[in-house]
Amino acid sequence: MMTSVDTDLIRVLADPLRLKIVTLLAHETLCTTHLVEETGARQTNLSNHLKVLREAGVVETEPCGRFTYYKLKPEVIAALAGQFTELAEHARTAADRKRSCP
Amino acid sequence: MMTSVDTDLIRVLADPLRLKIVTLLAHETLCTTHLVEETGARQTNLSNHLKVLREAGVVETEPCGRFTYYKLKPEVIAALAGQFTELAEHARTAADRKRSCP
DNA sequence: CACTGGTATCAGTCGCCACTGATGTGAGAG
DNA sequence: CTCTCACATCAGTGGCGACTGATACCAGTG
C-alpha cells in the first residue's frame, strides 16, 4: 500500500498569498473586504485566489447580505496533516529498507 | 501568536515529480538510478529536482561508491505535519470568531 | 426606479520554473 | 593509463499561473 499525499491540494496551498489567506481564515472567519485589508492585495487578485481555494474544497462561502464570508474547512487541513504524519512515520523506518545498488 | 506554515517547504513539495520522489523515499532509501526507473523521468530532470529537495533540507545524500543514496529526513515532514495539525486545530474554532461586516 | 458598494468574471501580460540536450566530473573496472 | 557508468551542472526553451485593469453582476439603500 502506497502512502501518498494529495498533490493538487498542496499545489493550491503552495502559493504565498493563498497560504496567507488560509492562515488568516484559520484564526477568524472573514469576508473579502477584510482579506483585502489584511493582505494588501487587490480585490481582483484575491477573488481569483478565493475561487481556487473554493474549487479545491479548502474553504466554504456563506453569503451575508452583500458580503461573502469565507471559512476554512478544518477537515481538509486535518486530512492533509494526517497524510504528512503517515509519510513521516514511514520515513522513520525507511533507512532500514535500502535497495541494493544495481 | 500566528500559526503559520513554511511556504518554501510546501512550494518544494508542490511539484508532482518531487512529491513522487518524496513518497518513494518515504518507503525505501534509493539512489538516482532507482528513481529514474521508478518515475520514468530523465536523469537530468531528476537530478535537478533532487538538488531542490537537497537544498530545502528535505532529503540527505549518502555516497556509496559511484552511487548516491537519497533518504528522506522524517523530522522535516513531521514538522510540516505538525504545522498543518495546529492550523486545523485553530480552524475548528474559527467559525465562532467571525469579524463583523465593515 | 437609480445609485452605491461588495464581489465575481474576463482578457491580456509577464515572470518563473519544469523540462530538455549537451557537457563536465569523478569513481571503479579493465 | 583508458573506458565506462553514475551523477551533477549548464544554457536554452515553452508553458503555466499569478497579477493586472476593465467590466459585469447582485443586493441593499434611498
Side-chain angles (χ1 to χ4, degrees):
Chain A
M1 164 254 175
M2 200 63 167
T3 341
S4 62
V5 182
D6 187 345
T7 313
D8 294 331
L9 182 54
I10 302 186
R11 296 193 62 189
V12 166
L13 298 178
D15 182 79
L17 185 49
R18 280 200 291 266
L19 193 60
K20 175 89 177 174
I21 294 171
V22 167
T23 307
L24 287 167
L25 291 180
H27 289 74
E28 215 174 355
T29 296
L30 301 167
C31 57
T32 314
T33 313
H34 294 136
L35 290 169
V36 171
E37 292 173 7
E38 295 287 340
T39 62
R42 309 275 169 138
Q43 180 267 325
T44 303
N45 189 14
L46 214 37
S47 189
N48 281 330
H49 284 298
L50 286 169
K51 182 180 183 177
V52 174
L53 290 170
R54 219 185 310 131
E55 288 175 347
V58 180
V59 299
E60 278 178 337
T61 58
E62 184 190 333
C64 172
R66 292 185 300 180
F67 304 91
T68 308
Y69 274 105
Y70 280 88
K71 61 176 181 177
L72 195 58
K73 289 169 74 176
E75 62 284 11
V76 176
I77 307 297
L80 188 63
Q83 291 174 2
F84 276 119
T85 303
E86 201 175 340
L87 209 65
E89 290 298 320
H90 263 283
R92 284 210 176 81
T93 61
D96 307 330
R97 293 184 299 276
K98 185 185 290 188
R99 194 183 297 188
S100 58
C101 304
Chain B
M1 165 248 175
M2 200 65 168
T3 340
S4 63
V5 182
D6 189 344
T7 313
D8 294 331
L9 182 54
I10 303 186
R11 296 194 61 188
V12 166
L13 298 178
D15 182 80
L17 185 50
R18 281 200 291 267
L19 193 61
K20 175 91 177 174
I21 295 171
V22 167
T23 306
L24 287 167
L25 292 179
H27 290 76
E28 216 175 352
T29 297
L30 301 167
C31 57
T32 315
T33 313
H34 294 136
L35 290 169
V36 170
E37 292 172 6
E38 294 288 339
T39 62
R42 310 275 170 140
Q43 180 267 326
T44 303
N45 189 14
L46 215 38
S47 188
N48 282 329
H49 283 298
L50 286 169
K51 181 180 184 177
V52 174
L53 290 171
R54 219 184 309 130
E55 289 176 347
V58 180
V59 300
E60 277 177 337
T61 59
E62 184 189 334
C64 172
R66 293 185 300 179
F67 303 90
T68 307
Y69 274 105
Y70 281 88
K71 62 176 181 179
L72 195 58
K73 290 169 73 175
E75 63 281 12
V76 176
I77 307 298
L80 188 63
Q83 291 173 2
F84 276 119
T85 303
E86 200 175 340
L87 209 63
E89 290 298 321
H90 262 283
R92 284 210 177 82
T93 60
D96 307 331
R97 292 185 298 278
K98 185 184 291 187
R99 193 183 298 186
S100 58
C101 303

